[in-house]
Amino acid sequence: MNVVWQEIEDRYGDDQPFKKYDGFDDAIVAITEGVNECRLAYDIEKMIEIFMSDNDCSYLDASEYVNFNIVNAYIGKDTPIFLNFLKIND
């Protein structure tokens, strides 16, 4: 079992309400919680890196795939959240 899913099971039990994308567990960076909802949050750049590695493709091809087919896809009210982290200089 993936370390991420082990922690999710530890916190939320076996019956997780989360919608997830297979193959991208290592890109999960947080769980958001609100009134009557919990959603997974993914790091978009990490998803692109995973896709590049798994499919032996360029950054551009992976970015287009992830953004078009995953980030912009609505899979219901529990659709995961996708994060672009800011690179803030000290």
Side-chain angles (χ1 to χ4, degrees), residues 1 7 18-19 21 27 31 35 45 50 52 61 67 78:
M1 174 180 293
E7 181 161 344
F18 306 107
K19 292 187 179 175
Y21 288 96
I31 297 171
V35 177
E45 284 301 315
I50 291 168
M52 286 172 56
D61 289 341
N67 282 293
D78 296 321

Side-chain angles (χ1 to χ4, degrees), residues 3-75:
V3 174
V4 171
W5 280 107
Q6 182 61 54
E7 181 161 344
I8 290 171
E9 275 192 10
D10 290 348
R11 289 182 183 211
Y12 296 93
D14 292 334
D15 190 30
Q16 302 94 14
F18 306 107
K19 292 187 179 175
K20 68 177 219 122
Y21 288 96
D22 291 336
F24 292 101
D25 288 355
D26 289 337
I28 297 170
V29 294
I31 297 171
T32 64
E33 295 187 21
V35 177
N36 298 321
E37 71 174 19
C38 289
R39 296 194 282 171
L40 296 175
Y42 287 88
D43 178 340
I44 294 173
E45 284 301 315
K46 183 66 177 169
M47 292 181 85
I48 292 168
E49 290 172 14
I50 291 168
F51 191 86
M52 286 172 56
S53 176
D54 290 351
N55 295 281
D56 191 30
C57 64
S58 70
Y59 179 87
L60 179 61
D61 289 341
S63 178
E64 287 178 356
Y65 179 88
V66 168
N67 282 293
F68 184 79
N69 294 292
I70 298 174
V71 174
N72 290 312
Y74 179 73
I75 59 171

